[in-house]
Amino acid sequence: MTTIAHSGAKNLAASVSILGSIILVPPVLVSLFLSRLTTRRGSPGQSDDEEDAAAALELEIQAQQQLWWFQFQEFAMEDVAVNLLELQEPGRVSFHGCLRLGPDSMQEVSIRKLELTKAVDLLTHLESAEIRQETVNLGSLRRCNVLPLLGFSLTHSYLLLFMPKLRSLTDVLRNSSLSWSCRCRVAALVARGLSRLHYSREAAATSNGPASSVVTAVLHGNIRSENVHLLLEEATDDSPPTCTPYIADTGFVKLTSMPIFRPDEMITNTRGYAAPEVSSGGALTTKSEVYSFGVVLCVLLSGQTDVAALNPVALLKQKLKRFMDPKLEKSYNGSQARTIQQTALKCIQRDPMQRPDMIRVEAWLRPLLLHT
């Protein structure tokens, strides 16, 4: 095994063995594809022309996915550049590394470590197959504004998951600033991503012959600001700085519920974001995730990332100027802020039956994209 510390792509290229055949693309094309995923998608109530345009855009997105997206696969550890001390550090679950993409190409990635209850060499054939199948299922998940898995590796007593290297919303709000236009994009596009998870149409075979389209709900499991990752793009001569949000760690809660995994506080911690019914022992539902998204909207407006000590209902019922993030220095659109405020209040209703679904939430927030 070749396991090394990350010290730049040039140094790594000489230290990591060559990966076998893989269909991958230069980062610039991936970045272009990611940015194009922000294009508006059709919704109920649109005119025929709007629906046709939305359908055309969906076909374009699908074509870009097939041409430009990473081929998800299992990586041998010889093709992974990671600090061995970090990997084996107790309690350390997230870090950065590189993947070998070709003879002269390295890709920086974020790495998520999930601990197993036994060493990989001691897994039964069935346990190994189940882990791989569940991981492949997550890797095949492709939705707008949902962060894709790039691959995985089983080593020592860990399952390593590789994702694009982005910054979390929590990190950006705590350690830097986020413009108002970017916050509007985060609100609208995370709503779109969650809506696509909850209400995605998939082809399903019927007993009478031809396939039909059915709605399949995918539950994220832990919607929170730490799991909203941002692709930040600097200003150019032709465009201002912007960001594109992606929902990260989708399905990790379900994956780590398998008995072979050790409990992971980073994945199961929902303090401040869990709906009342979930905090009382109830099951996760699409409506409980609507509640969690409402708390994310509250964080987005206020900049307060310590949600365990936050009362979102009391906060959102105040006048905007009393709780808006001071880092914005009043440089926000009052009408747009009230739209986010009112949407968040509807999402965090105590009674789940009174909460809207994410299709409706997405429709309320979509106009925020018109001026960003």
Side-chain angles (χ1 to χ4, degrees):
M1 177 188 301
T2 301
T3 308
I4 59 180
H6 168 229
S7 58
K10 291 183 179 179
N11 293 334
L12 290 171
S15 306
V16 186
S17 60
I18 296 176
L19 180 65
S21 175
I22 181 170
I23 301 173
L24 291 160
V25 298
V28 64
L29 292 182
V30 176
S31 178
L32 176 61
F33 169 57
L34 291 174
S35 66
R36 293 297 296 275
L37 280 184
T38 62
T39 310
R40 179 182 171 187
R41 182 175 175 175
S43 63
Q46 290 181 314
S47 67
D48 290 342
D49 289 342
E50 289 175 321
E51 289 180 352
D52 290 342
L57 289 172
E58 285 301 322
L59 291 175
E60 179 182 352
I61 287 173
Q62 291 172 15
Q64 290 173 350
Q65 285 176 325
Q66 293 172 0
L67 289 174
W68 292 349
W69 212 305
F70 287 88
Q71 176 182 314
F72 177 84
Q73 71 168 36
E74 182 173 1
F75 285 82
M77 280 303 292
E78 287 79 6
D79 305 306
V80 180
V82 64
N83 187 309
L84 184 59
L85 295 178
E86 288 184 351
L87 179 65
Q88 297 180 325
E89 181 180 339
R92 182 75 177 268
V93 296
S94 297
F95 39 94
H96 299 306
C98 285
L99 297 178
R100 180 74 170 181
L101 308 185
D104 301 306
S105 178
M106 300 295 295
Q107 176 67 47
E108 283 191 289
V109 292
S110 291
I111 303 176
R112 189 70 168 81
K113 181 181 76 176
L114 305 180
E115 289 198 47
L116 305 172
T117 57
K118 64 176 75 172
V120 170
D121 293 343
L122 299 179
L123 293 173
T124 66
H125 177 75
L126 179 59
E127 289 171 334
S128 179
E130 288 179 342
I131 292 172
R132 284 181 165 85
Q133 184 58 57
E134 287 298 322
T135 307
V136 167
N137 289 343
L138 292 183
S140 65
L141 187 65
R142 293 290 185 264
R143 301 287 188 275
C144 293
N145 300 105
V146 175
L147 195 68
L149 284 181
L150 305 180
F152 72 99
S153 184
L154 280 166
T155 183
H156 299 292
S157 58
Y158 315 122
L159 170 65
L160 304 182
L161 302 173
F162 308 121
M163 296 169 287
K165 183 183 176 183
L166 305 177
R167 292 180 65 186
S168 74
L169 175 60
T170 299
D171 177 52
V172 173
L173 290 175
R174 283 177 180 171
N175 302 308
S176 54
S177 60
L178 193 64
S179 69
W180 178 248
S181 62
C182 282
R183 296 184 198 224
C184 288
R185 288 177 61 80
V186 170
L189 295 177
V190 171
R192 180 173 71 173
L194 193 53
S195 174
R196 298 304 180 267
L197 285 175
H198 287 179
Y199 303 99
S200 177
R201 290 196 170 273
E202 306 283 358
T206 65
S207 58
N208 296 327
S212 63
S213 182
V214 298
V215 175
T216 57
V218 176
L219 293 177
H220 178 279
N222 192 359
I223 294 294
R224 53 179 180 161
S225 59
E226 289 89 341
N227 288 335
V228 174
H229 290 194
L230 306 180
L231 174 65
L232 300 171
E233 299 175 285
E234 297 180 357
T236 66
D237 294 338
D238 300 322
S239 61
T242 186
C243 69
T244 305
Y246 293 90
I247 302 172
D249 292 12
T250 302
F252 284 17
V253 170
K254 179 183 178 183
L255 177 65
T256 55
S257 67
M258 297 171 63
I260 194 63
F261 287 98
R262 295 187 185 279
D264 191 319
E265 174 68 13
M266 286 291 292
I267 290 177
T268 58
N269 177 19
T270 59
R271 286 191 296 272
Y273 290 95
E277 66 272 16
V278 175
S279 297
S280 300
L284 288 169
T285 65
T286 55
K287 289 299 183 75
S288 69
E289 296 203 332
V290 169
Y291 180 97
S292 301
F293 176 70
V295 179
V296 171
L297 293 181
C298 182
V299 170
L300 202 57
L301 290 176
S302 67
Q304 298 184 38
T305 57
D306 183 14
V307 296
L310 194 65
N311 184 334
V313 175
L315 186 75
L316 290 168
K317 286 187 175 180
Q318 301 179 61
K319 293 183 178 180
L320 283 174
K321 62 181 180 181
R322 292 182 178 273
F323 69 84
M324 290 295 291
D325 189 348
K327 288 183 179 180
L328 287 169
E329 298 179 342
K330 299 182 179 179
S331 60
Y332 60 88
N333 180 296
S335 176
Q336 292 175 328
R338 280 187 288 274
T339 295
I340 298 175
Q341 177 190 29
Q342 293 304 313
T343 300
L345 280 170
K346 292 172 182 175
C347 290
I348 59 175
Q349 294 283 333
R350 187 169 186 83
D351 182 357
M353 298 300 293
Q354 297 300 315
R355 298 172 203 150
D357 57 39
M358 283 308 303
I359 291 179
R360 183 168 298 182
V361 172
E362 180 196 359
W364 290 337
L365 297 177
R366 190 183 300 120
L368 297 176
L369 296 173
L370 295 177
H371 305 289
T372 61

